[in-house]
Amino acid sequence: MKLNKGLIKKGMYLSGIMNIGGVLIFSKFFSNKVINEADPVVMSNFGLLMLTVWGLVFIAMAPKWEKLKWVIGAFVIEKFIYGFVWTKWLLDNDLSSVYEQDTMAGIFYTIYGPNDWFFFLFYLGVFIYLNKAQKKVNQ
């Protein structure tokens, strides 16, 4: 898939909506203790709140993304870290036991990692796109 300006802007909005909506829905507005207990460091209510803040940042960036290459670079790092942490969590934990305790928490732990890996690749693609565009301007 080739990135274009419209697709990038929509992707940023989608990224923000996924962070905010995913956290609020699956955490049952921060009341789902199973999510907290399954990963008390990363997915504490404070951690979940910070995920919603990241979502707000993704949405706020969407209209001006072309001028903020290094912020996009920070998004690449953020999404990589969450994807990596999820992968490690999945290797060290039993997802089926989370489902047994709470289906919404199980769904959350099933989708949050692939979501972050997908948007890691998306933001990496945007960062590369901006680097190529900058090289063309500088030539």
Side-chain angles (χ1 to χ4, degrees), residues 62-78:
K64 300 180 185 210
W65 65 270
E66 291 177 85
K67 298 176 183 156
L68 299 162
K69 176 178 80 169
W70 292 109
V71 177
I72 302 296
F75 293 172
V76 172
I77 295 166
E78 184 265 348

Side-chain angles (χ1 to χ4, degrees), residues 80-100:
F80 176 83
I81 290 169
Y82 277 100
F84 179 83
V85 166
W86 172 81
T87 301
K88 184 171 178 354
W89 181 90
L90 197 60
L91 293 171
D92 295 340
N93 292 276
D94 180 18
L95 183 58
S96 64
S97 71
V98 176
Y99 271 100
E100 288 171 10

Side-chain angles (χ1 to χ4, degrees), residues 22-111:
V23 166
L24 293 178
I25 291 166
F26 294 107
S27 76
K28 303 173 188 175
F29 288 84
F30 305 104
S31 69
N32 191 335
K33 298 299 175 201
V34 176
I35 289 176
N36 305 139
E37 292 164 4
D39 190 347
V41 174
V42 178
M43 296 303 168
S44 65
N45 276 343
F46 176 77
L48 293 171
L49 177 62
M50 291 300 97
L51 289 175
T52 62
V53 170
W54 273 109
L56 293 171
V57 174
F58 300 143
I59 290 170
M61 279 284 301
K64 300 180 185 210
W65 65 270
E66 291 177 85
K67 298 176 183 156
L68 299 162
K69 176 178 80 169
W70 292 109
V71 177
I72 302 296
F75 293 172
V76 172
I77 295 166
E78 184 265 348
K79 289 297 183 186
F80 176 83
I81 290 169
Y82 277 100
F84 179 83
V85 166
W86 172 81
T87 301
K88 184 171 178 354
W89 181 90
L90 197 60
L91 293 171
D92 295 340
N93 292 276
D94 180 18
L95 183 58
S96 64
S97 71
V98 176
Y99 271 100
E100 288 171 10
Q101 295 174 64
D102 183 82
T103 302
M104 294 294 275
I107 295 169
F108 176 82
Y109 279 99
T110 298
I111 64 173

